[in-house]
Amino acid sequence: MASSSDQTLFHNCLLALYLIAPPTYISLRFLQAPYGKHHRPGWGPTMSPSLAWFLMESPTVWLTLSIFPYGRHFTDPKSFLLISPFLLHYFHRTCVYPLRLRRDSAQRRGFPVSVAVMAFGFNLLNAYLQARWVSHYKDDYDNNWLFTWRFVIGLLVFVGGMCVNVWSDKVLVGLKKQGGGYKVPRGGWFELVSCPNYFGEIMEWFGWALMTWSLVGFGFFLYTCANLVPRARANHKWYLDKFGEDYPESRKAVIPFVY
């Protein structure tokens, strides 16, 4: 059983996850994170984008693996099954994606250290919550039918979203390798939305919320929306401003046929 201090820490962290979502959404409506196409000076020292992504995403791997053995469900195969999609996404984001950026000679703009530090802090918070919930606080592993249908439906959504996310990132990095400045992405999900990479990630964490069936999973999905929806809207506006009539009018910002 968890100690009272651990329960207090867990509940305070969960509360913090919900409290930071609204100010994140509001701030990103007016101020874009200064990297990528929104790069601008004035945010302090910078570092290599590939190194920044590796460092700031890494807690989701090493902290999750460090916490997991101390949960009361550590010996239950279902807990390993449940945490696997989370680790799969973040292994790709921590190891594979930075290597892809490193091979991209067009990635010359530095990534602000201040932004990387904030992302590192969020990932510490989130990795603790997700790993601790799955390994210790989740209480429906004994209900085979209930666990199975939630997991299967959520996993289908998660895998679909990850496929969209990974494919979209690959297309965007490929365009940068071609040189000659920014271009209009074409094909696939880019014919529907300006930011299918963000749409795919929103799908992933909605699937995760279904799989975990918890306030922890839903809180992460809520924060993902608060973080990515205003960024997608800003990217959509940037494309429209830059390419004007050459940019497809039918594309939405992030949610096909809706937004």
Side-chain angles (χ1 to χ4, degrees), residues 110-189:
F111 194 105
V113 173
S114 57
V115 175
V117 169
M118 288 187 286
F120 182 87
F122 171 79
N123 283 322
L124 279 177
L125 170 71
N126 191 51
Y128 165 74
L129 283 169
Q130 308 303 324
R132 194 63 176 147
W133 172 261
V134 174
S135 68
H136 191 84
Y137 286 110
K138 189 170 173 62
D139 59 5
D140 66 351
Y141 286 120
D142 292 335
N143 192 326
N144 291 328
W145 181 85
L146 195 62
F147 173 83
T148 299
W149 78 259
R150 288 172 177 170
F151 179 79
V152 169
I153 294 175
L155 183 63
L156 290 173
V157 176
F158 183 94
V159 170
M162 187 168 183
C163 288
V164 173
N165 177 257
V166 172
W167 174 83
S168 304
D169 280 340
K170 184 177 180 180
V171 170
L172 292 172
V173 172
L175 287 177
K176 292 174 184 176
K177 287 182 179 179
Q178 295 176 12
Y182 284 98
K183 302 175 180 65
V184 177
R186 303 284 184 180
W189 285 88

Side-chain angles (χ1 to χ4, degrees), residues 29 50 146 153 249:
R29 285 294 304 271
S50 58
L146 195 62
I153 294 175
E249 294 183 4

Side-chain angles (χ1 to χ4, degrees), residues 1-256:
M1 296 297 292
S3 66
S4 59
S5 59
D6 181 76
Q7 292 177 1
T8 300
L9 174 63
F10 182 83
H11 288 125
N12 286 342
C13 287
L14 180 57
L15 178 61
L17 180 63
Y18 278 86
L19 288 177
I20 63 177
T24 296
Y25 177 82
I26 294 170
S27 62
L28 289 176
R29 285 294 304 271
F30 301 100
L31 183 66
Q32 282 304 302
Y35 62 88
K37 57 177 62 67
H38 301 287
H39 175 83
R40 56 190 181 277
W43 285 74
T46 62
M47 62 195 303
S48 160
S50 58
L51 180 60
W53 278 101
F54 171 76
L55 292 176
M56 70 187 186
E57 300 289 313
S58 65
T60 55
V61 177
W62 59 258
L63 183 58
T64 298
L65 295 176
S66 299
I67 288 173
F68 216 82
Y70 296 96
R72 63 190 177 99
H73 299 305
F74 176 64
T75 58
D76 191 332
K78 291 178 183 176
S79 67
F80 284 93
L81 185 66
L82 184 55
I83 201 64
S84 294
F86 182 84
L87 285 172
L88 175 64
H89 170 92
Y90 279 111
F91 174 79
H92 177 271
R93 187 59 72 189
T94 302
C95 300
V96 179
Y97 183 67
L99 287 175
R100 187 176 291 163
L101 288 179
R102 187 178 181 183
R103 292 196 297 266
D104 176 15
S105 59
Q107 284 284 337
R108 302 183 186 280
R109 292 178 174 178
F111 194 105
V113 173
S114 57
V115 175
V117 169
M118 288 187 286
F120 182 87
F122 171 79
N123 283 322
L124 279 177
L125 170 71
N126 191 51
Y128 165 74
L129 283 169
Q130 308 303 324
R132 194 63 176 147
W133 172 261
V134 174
S135 68
H136 191 84
Y137 286 110
K138 189 170 173 62
D139 59 5
D140 66 351
Y141 286 120
D142 292 335
N143 192 326
N144 291 328
W145 181 85
L146 195 62
F147 173 83
T148 299
W149 78 259
R150 288 172 177 170
F151 179 79
V152 169
I153 294 175
L155 183 63
L156 290 173
V157 176
F158 183 94
V159 170
M162 187 168 183
C163 288
V164 173
N165 177 257
V166 172
W167 174 83
S168 304
D169 280 340
K170 184 177 180 180
V171 170
L172 292 172
V173 172
L175 287 177
K176 292 174 184 176
K177 287 182 179 179
Q178 295 176 12
Y182 284 98
K183 302 175 180 65
V184 177
R186 303 284 184 180
W189 285 88
F190 282 105
E191 299 305 318
L192 299 177
V193 292
S194 295
C195 300
N197 50 332
Y198 292 165
F199 171 62
E201 189 156 352
I202 289 171
M203 279 183 63
E204 284 184 73
W205 301 125
F206 177 64
W208 175 252
L210 294 176
M211 281 188 279
T212 59
W213 203 258
S214 64
L215 288 174
V216 175
F218 181 76
F220 185 22
F221 167 68
L222 181 68
Y223 181 85
T224 299
C225 292
N227 183 31
L228 297 186
V229 169
R231 286 168 58 186
R233 182 175 179 176
N235 285 351
H236 182 69
K237 183 178 183 300
W238 184 91
Y239 279 121
L240 290 171
D241 291 343
K242 182 173 182 60
F243 297 105
E245 295 180 356
D246 293 331
Y247 197 72
E249 294 183 4
S250 60
R251 289 190 193 181
K252 302 297 182 180
V254 64
I255 308 296

